[in-house]
Amino acid sequence: MPRSGWWMAGVASLVTVVVVASLFSGEVAVSPGEAWRSLVGGVAGSEAGSTAEAVFRAIRLPRILGALLAGAVLGMAGAALQGLYRTRMADPFLLGVSSAAGFGAALAVVVSPVGVSSGVTALLAAAAGVAVALGTRAIARSAGDPGAFVLGGVALALTLLAWTVILIFVADSPRLPTFAYFVFGGLGGLTWSVVFWALPGALVGMALLLVSGRDLDVLALGETAATRVGVPVPRVAAVVLVGVGVGVGASVALAGVIGFVGLLAPAAMRPLVGPGHRALLPASAVGGAGMLVAADLIARSVAGPVEIPVGIVTAAVGGPLLVAVVVRRTVGLR
Amino acid sequence: MSVVADSISVVAGGVAILKEVSFTAERGAVVAIAGPNGAGKSTLLRALAGDLVPDAGVVAIGDHDLSGMATNERAAARAMLGQFERHDIPFSVREVVAMGRYARRNRSTAQRDAAAVDAAVRLLDLGDVADRSFATLSGGEQQRTHVARVLAQEATVLLLDEPTGSLDVGHQRLVMTALRGLAAEGRTVVVVLHDLNLAAAFADTLVILSRGDVVARGAPAAALDEGLLSAVYEYPIRVVAHPIHRGPFVVPVDSEHDRSG
Amino acid sequence: MRLLLAAAVLTVIAVSCGGSGDAGPTESPSDADSTFVGADGIESVVTDTSRVITLSGDLTEFVYALGRGASVVAVDVTTVHPAEATELPVVGVGRFLSAEAVLSHEPSLVIGDTQTAPLEAIAQIRATGVPVVILEVPTSFAALYAKIDDLGRLLGEAEPASDLRDRIRTDVEREQARVTTAGLRIAYLYTRGPDVNLLFGAGMVTNPLIEAAGGVDAGADAGIEGSVPVTAEALVAAAPDVIIVPSVGFEAFDGIEGLLAIPGVAQTPAGRSGSILAYPEGDFLTFGPRVAETLHALITDLAD
């Protein structure tokens, strides 16, 4: 097995450990036996079981699965954006895509009279995400360098945040915690219904990214040279950006607006599996999934029964690391 | 296949970059394009490549109008080396060269691709650095890698903008010899060169551009006229006989004052 | 890699199909009394009321007043009365619910109101099979009495509920007979300090209290809905003769002088005459069993 294979096995093991730790932490103590019974009971369709089993099946499992799914999408989307725009600083949040999807999700809350329809949320989040993702190409063309490009994206993100806050003022106050989830990130409200509705978007998004792996590699030559070599650049960009928009839309429906996972997962995986996207995209998905589950674990454990929004945890860790990336500003394996 | 530009004009920002320029390169020929900075050499090459659509006139490769071709058709017809290629590519040399095979990904086998890449790597003397990361190479090695990539594409027409700019004397000759060899095999080669002597040594036809017009066209001996060159480059130039092969040799007349500085 | 993905997807589908849905379980009820439709329109089947969690101070007080205090296993942070209830574990804030925190006390019934949020947490609790019954936050005495009856039905204490309801109604009517200062414009200013200043208007629990004390709710009269951040203009337009604040706000401002410094207050009739009253919010804003006592204190103070 090549060296990168060993690294991936190691990362996968680490992620498994974090997942198991997360599955068994929370306000309600769940024993491995109860966990097993709740899974087996679920498949068989029986209803009986202790509170712990019910909590595990109806709350813990969807939460962890949702975190894995959202983290995987964000990690892969970050890697794809970095390849498309040839900069280490690209990330769905920094380019404004996440905030757009967040605005879409917040709109869904305002639009739904009673409760939040998971389907409507996923749809609006995805639509907004795709719209802005495709728009990033326009920003990229007018911006001179990656720094200006990311700055434009951050400005867009802040604008969308402002619009989301306006929506909050318009809506009823009992909806406030739901909005807080979307704006700052949070996995607290996840149920199987949300996971169900987000699953197609997440899978479709990731599929679109995976098929673009080879094209993203050749884009490293620059758009002009890549076009000369035969890459249909506008079409590749459209496929990647639609994949990013739909996938990030699903991740926001699951976990709200979360930044930096898309930045950090590829940065962590690239030294282990190399720059080729056929390996980097799935590796970033695994890395991102692990990161989000870990961040969620921290968010739940640090301040007692109160949950810190997951987006705050990722920003607290990711922000300084972004500064480090910007300061180093080297590309390649120097 | 030949590449033909029929009376093309390109205007940018209100300025005429190319004025009704006609250009032909036949298969088996090496045609060099030279001229002062801003003459329109790179623009002409880009028009021949189909990168830009001229405001007037038509470009065709093998009688097919270039503007009507799909991206992958074009990639099979012509390969182009730009004047400024990227330095920050995080892949290995071999991987970068292999990117030239993109257009053939559905019509070629892994062996064919590997063979083409290996041949290009050998031809451009990149064997020693083939597995190193591209970003760690010197400027000259990077340029040769890009040339190798263009070769690996195995297109019938080769368009190269300053392929020898960063290369030392030996490697300059290496690249030009390789291009001559490819022309001999039936390809069409068009190169933009600053170095008039390099052009004289390796090109069958020399085209000199000045301010968007063709001012000279023909075999190097004919095209390299002292009076024309001095006027076009706005610098005193003499054309003498090369001390060894007696072909035309261009010598800028630097005064004692200029040289001693 | 693909096998793993397929296995994961299949697990997701299997487990989610096996688990219960997001709404309350709707098995056919054997006993008509055990099915309850809440203010959120969701029908819940309540089979066991032995372990109750109440998510609002007034709900806790009512459950105790109906004699079922022993059934309460946990409360939320707004519960201040009775004393035994404050000894119970707190599951957090009713408006920022954590499903797991609630479920860790193994309740058989959770009672909340229309302020309880987020809706996702409520859905999560229901998904584990525990019923969550949502009641209205009453904004009139009639609604209050209906709520008492609902609670009685819910807990199987219909008789104690109607007794309680009648008793409260009698007390309130007795207090209303003592009103000597009819027609006063009274505004409720919710302030906890310089950073939190809200003016209450229509649809708040303060409306029925103020009206029962013979007053006019100045905020509601000025067209304010719900609670709004206070502005000087809004205060002056409301022109209250009396301003009521929570005790904690009164102390934060060091008494009347501090409160007069809030923009707009000094320009109101209340400000000019120094007519500012303060009550603990746990008493005044809990529209619960002790409402008659609250009314008594208010009417007495207004008479001065």
Side-chain angles (χ1 to χ4, degrees), chain C residues 135-205:
Chain C
L135 301 174
E136 284 281 355
V137 175
T139 52
S140 70
F141 279 100
L144 183 67
Y145 303 141
K147 185 170 178 174
I148 299 174
D149 283 333
D150 283 343
L151 267 171
R153 230 174 359 105
L154 182 62
L155 296 171
E157 306 285 340
E159 264 209 47
S162 80
D163 288 344
L164 181 65
R165 171 178 37 93
D166 292 335
R167 188 158 40 82
I168 292 178
R169 195 191 338 244
T170 314
D171 288 345
V172 167
E173 282 166 3
R174 189 187 59 225
E175 292 304 328
Q176 283 183 293
R178 291 178 50 235
V179 170
T180 53
T181 55
L184 278 178
R185 297 180 63 81
I186 306 174
Y188 190 88
L189 195 64
Y190 184 82
T191 173
R192 302 183 67 91
D195 295 329
V196 183
N197 278 315
L198 297 172
L199 183 60
F200 278 21
M204 306 296 288
V205 297

Side-chain angles (χ1 to χ4, degrees), chain A residues 25-28 39 42-43 45-47 51 54-55 57-61 65 114-116 173-178 180-181 188-193 195-196 199 203 282 286 300 305 307, chain C residues 1 5 8-9 11-20 22 27 40 91 95-101 103-107 114-121 123-125 127-130:
Chain A
S25 33
E27 292 291 316
V28 176
L39 281 176
V43 168
S46 75
E47 295 280 349
T51 307
V55 164
R57 183 176 54 237
I59 300 178
R60 288 287 169 79
L61 265 184
L65 245 72
V114 177
V116 186
S173 60
R175 301 301 192 91
L176 223 62
T178 308
Y181 281 147
L190 273 186
T191 54
W192 283 115
S193 164
V195 174
F196 245 169
L199 193 62
L203 294 179
V286 173
R300 286 191 285 148
E307 281 185 27
Chain C
M1 178 70 101
L5 186 65
V9 171
T11 311
V12 168
I13 294 173
V15 178
S16 57
C17 286
S20 43
D22 290 331
E27 302 143 1
D40 57 354
V91 296
R95 294 179 182 224
F96 268 92
L97 217 55
S98 159
E100 281 206 27
L103 289 166
S104 65
H105 299 282
E106 308 217 358
T114 48
Q115 297 272 330
T116 304
L119 304 171
E120 289 85 4
Q124 280 180 319
I125 298 173
T128 63
V130 174

Side-chain angles (χ1 to χ4, degrees), chain A residues 63-330:
Chain A
R63 185 189 186 114
I64 305 307
L65 245 72
L68 285 172
L69 200 56
V73 169
L74 288 173
M76 199 186 280
L81 285 172
Q82 289 177 15
L84 182 66
Y85 291 122
R86 285 174 305 285
T87 169
R88 296 283 169 92
M89 293 192 287
D91 157 270
F93 176 72
L94 290 175
L95 297 186
V97 178
S98 300
S99 304
F103 177 72
L107 204 59
V109 173
V110 172
V111 156
S112 321
V114 177
V116 186
S117 160
S118 308
V120 174
T121 305
L123 218 62
L124 282 174
V130 171
V132 168
L134 291 171
T136 60
R137 197 147 151 74
I139 300 178
R141 300 196 134 202
S142 55
D145 59 274
F149 175 44
V150 171
L151 202 60
V154 172
L156 188 62
L158 290 173
T159 309
L160 289 159
L161 175 64
W163 289 2
T164 309
V165 172
I166 291 175
L167 278 182
I168 294 176
F169 272 107
V170 163
D172 304 319
S173 60
R175 301 301 192 91
L176 223 62
T178 308
F179 280 117
Y181 281 147
F182 282 131
V183 171
F184 299 113
L187 292 151
L190 273 186
T191 54
W192 283 115
S193 164
V194 180
V195 174
F196 245 169
W197 277 103
L199 193 62
L203 294 179
V204 166
M206 287 197 284
L208 287 175
L209 296 181
L210 284 170
V211 302
S212 308
R214 173 79 179 132
D215 299 332
L216 285 169
D217 283 348
V218 182
L219 271 175
L221 294 175
E223 289 199 7
T224 318
T227 308
R228 289 179 184 144
V229 153
V231 179
V233 173
R235 194 179 76 201
V236 170
V239 169
V240 169
L241 292 172
V242 168
V244 167
V246 169
V248 170
S251 82
V252 167
L254 286 166
V257 176
I258 293 178
F260 300 102
V261 173
L263 186 76
L264 298 176
M269 294 294 119
R270 209 175 274 111
L272 304 183
V273 301
H277 287 89
R278 285 222 202 85
L280 186 61
L281 290 174
S284 301
V286 173
M291 277 181 196
L292 197 58
V293 173
D296 177 57
L297 187 56
I298 294 173
R300 286 191 285 148
S301 315
V302 168
V306 176
E307 281 185 27
I308 302 177
V310 170
I312 304 294
V313 174
T314 60
V317 173
L321 282 165
L322 169 63
V323 172
V325 170
V326 169
V327 166
R328 277 183 62 218
R329 251 191 317 175
T330 54

Side-chain angles (χ1 to χ4, degrees), chain A residues 86 215 228-230 275 334, chain B residues 51 78 86 90-91 99 102 135:
Chain A
R86 285 174 305 285
D215 299 332
R228 289 179 184 144
V229 153
R334 280 194 201 277
Chain B
D51 278 4
R78 62 90 184 97
R86 290 187 73 99
F91 292 93
M99 289 180 187
Y102 179 89

Side-chain angles (χ1 to χ4, degrees), chain B residues 35-69:
Chain B
N37 294 337
K41 310 186 293 296
S42 293
T43 307
L44 175 57
L45 205 67
R46 288 172 57 212
L48 292 174
D51 278 4
L52 58 82
V53 180
D55 297 296
V58 171
V59 177
I61 289 187
D63 299 328
H64 297 295
D65 187 341
L66 208 54
S67 57
M69 281 191 196

